[in-house]
Amino acid sequence: MSQYKFDTKMVHSGYQVEPTTKSVTPPLYLTNAYQFDDSQFAQELFELKQGGNIYTRLQNPTNDILEARVADLDGGVGALSFASGHAAIFNTMINLASEGDEVVASNAIYGGAINMLGVTLKRLGITVKFVDPDDLNAWEANISEKTRALFFEVVGNPNANVADIEAICKIGRRHGIPVIADSTFTTPYLCRPIEFGADFVIHSATKFLGGHSTVMGGIVVDSGNFVFKGNERFPLYNEPDQSYHGIVFADLGPTAFISRLRALITRDLGACLSPFNAFMLLQGIETLSLRMQRHCENADKVVAFLASNDSVSFINYPSLPDSPYKALADKYLPNGVGSVFTFGLKGGKETGRKFIDSLQLLKHVANVGDVRSLVIHPATTTHSQLSAEQLKAAGISEETVRLSIGLEDTEDIIADLDQAIKKAVK
Ligand SMILES: *Cc1c(COP(=O)(O)O)cnc(C)c1O
């Protein structure tokens, strides 16, 4: 579908009316096994010499449509879906790094990702060095001969810090290290990191891609641009693989990463997406651009209200004229900066809590990217496992409140915020 425009791809990519039923909507194949034509065919499937369905842990016809659609929207050569965004991140890391290896990651990311990288990967012998994502020298200074990946969020959770994608990708390219961009808050509609040099893009599809807070899911998109062949950092890809008849994954060229992720990592770790969830995510993606436009418009209006409110002490929203991220937002996010951001009320933590408890329309939940407007206090919830030092590095204070603006009428959203602020600061 690559000749079509974004909105057309969002509705059609990855699916052509299938000849048996002529179903116009992508069918939900709630199936886990597929008949082999004959013994020879079965053998060739298992040797990766033939394409085709074997078993839903490896591939499924509905998941295939979702993967092809998101790959097309992001401009990649392939994608793989996972049971959650977190599974997508973990499996991507394990597909690049082994015991003794290192990763350099932004310190201003989702708290759950900081735990996964800083605690669980560490237990597996993979050391993650966290850096201030705005400090390009820090990215460079933390690279060693053991570094296997650079990782950041395009728009960071929760403070909506915008990464200088192109600059970080240049550093990766100079050292032969792949760059992974978590594009959850932006979706392919607001930003396509591959166009700025990212090698792999990750989405927690649980958020805006699904868009309705129904199912979990994660997706990894491969740009096809990272060259593993001959890269000394990646014996994993350049030496014959013991568990696959001696295949050398680097020989697969542009699809080396995504093929290894499917054929080896997902085969062994099994974090595959349920086809039912893939079906639900496809429904969400069909209206992605419409929803993202409205999410952004609504967030702009809410931010304008907060900016004019005397009880508000700060707002972290990258398109505000005085935001330190304004220039990066203009460059990377011309269609809008998304609808997740943070702000604080004068009076600190207790005022913030009272504000959250006084809201009536906004839902108090650990989620973002829903059609409903959502609120949470990161320091005591999503980022609560972080130390005081890590919270400071991530720019999260006791008074930080995170909002995810939904699709309700902004007059109603603002009226609810207004009454809750009045109660909280009274
Ligand atoms: C939610 C989130 C994740 C984790 O995704 P799940 O689908 O919840 O596992 C990763 N990155 C970001 C930026 C997120 O907001």
Side-chain angles (χ1 to χ4, degrees), residues 328-346:
L328 293 173
D330 287 346
K331 174 172 178 176
Y332 296 116
L333 309 168
N335 293 328
V337 299
S339 78
V340 184
F341 61 94
T342 53
F343 79 104
L345 288 172
K346 291 172 188 164

Side-chain angles (χ1 to χ4, degrees), residues 106-112 114 130-134 153 156-161 314 316 325 342 378-379 382-384 386-397 400:
S106 161
N107 63 17
I109 56 176
Y110 171 48
I114 293 182
F130 290 98
V131 298
D132 172 356
D134 304 336
E153 292 173 0
N157 183 347
N159 279 334
N161 53 295
F314 66 87
N316 291 310
Y325 299 105
T342 53
T382 54
H383 291 68
S384 60
L386 272 57
S387 66
E389 205 176 307
Q390 284 175 311
L391 283 173
K392 190 156 180 272
I396 299 165
S397 69
T400 301

Side-chain angles (χ1 to χ4, degrees), residues 207-343:
K207 316 290 172 53
F208 290 104
L209 289 182
H212 299 76
S213 283
T214 51
V215 299
M216 303 293 298
I219 300 182
V220 182
V221 180
D222 186 346
S223 71
N225 295 329
F226 190 79
V227 180
F228 287 95
K229 188 79 185 163
N231 186 326
E232 285 173 6
R233 291 181 187 272
F234 291 100
L236 275 185
Y237 286 77
N238 283 286
E239 288 169 6
D241 194 279
Q242 279 175 21
S243 76
Y244 249 115
H245 308 294
I247 191 175
V248 174
F249 279 98
D251 290 342
L252 299 178
T255 61
F257 173 87
I258 206 75
S259 303
R260 191 178 187 279
L261 190 61
R262 184 189 299 276
L264 200 151
I265 300 293
T266 303
R267 178 197 65 181
D268 292 353
L269 301 187
C272 55
L273 181 71
S274 157
F276 179 79
N277 291 9
F279 178 81
M280 293 300 285
L281 295 173
L282 281 163
Q283 308 310 301
I285 290 170
E286 289 181 0
T287 56
L288 181 65
S289 66
L290 298 175
R291 287 186 292 105
M292 292 313 288
Q293 284 161 17
R294 183 62 69 83
H295 276 296
C296 292
E297 264 174 51
N298 284 5
D300 280 344
K301 288 183 192 161
V302 168
V303 166
F305 159 75
L306 293 172
S308 68
N309 191 301
D310 288 339
S311 303
V312 171
S313 55
F314 66 87
I315 307 170
N316 291 310
Y317 190 64
S319 59
L320 281 174
D322 60 350
S323 164
Y325 299 105
K326 173 80 169 99
L328 293 173
D330 287 346
K331 174 172 178 176
Y332 296 116
L333 309 168
N335 293 328
V337 299
S339 78
V340 184
F341 61 94
T342 53
F343 79 104

Side-chain angles (χ1 to χ4, degrees), residues 82-89 108-113 116 151-158 182-186 202-207 215-219 340 366-368 383 402:
F82 287 93
S84 67
H86 243 192
I89 298 172
I109 56 176
Y110 171 48
M116 183 215 298
F151 176 75
F152 61 85
E153 292 173 0
V154 172
V155 169
N157 183 347
D182 180 334
S183 190
T184 297
F185 280 14
T186 36
I202 294 180
H203 300 281
S204 166
T206 312
K207 316 290 172 53
V215 299
M216 303 293 298
I219 300 182
V340 184
N367 193 19
V368 295
H383 291 68
R402 185 183 74 189

Side-chain angles (χ1 to χ4, degrees), residues 42-77:
Q43 184 176 342
E44 288 177 10
L45 279 176
F46 274 77
E47 288 171 348
L48 306 181
K49 288 176 183 158
Q50 277 278 2
N53 297 320
I54 299 177
Y55 189 56
T56 284
R57 170 147 43 79
L58 293 165
Q59 72 271 96
N60 167 282
T62 305
N63 297 27
D64 283 349
I65 299 165
L66 172 70
E67 290 159 4
R69 189 162 297 180
V70 177
D72 207 19
L73 291 175
D74 254 322
V77 295

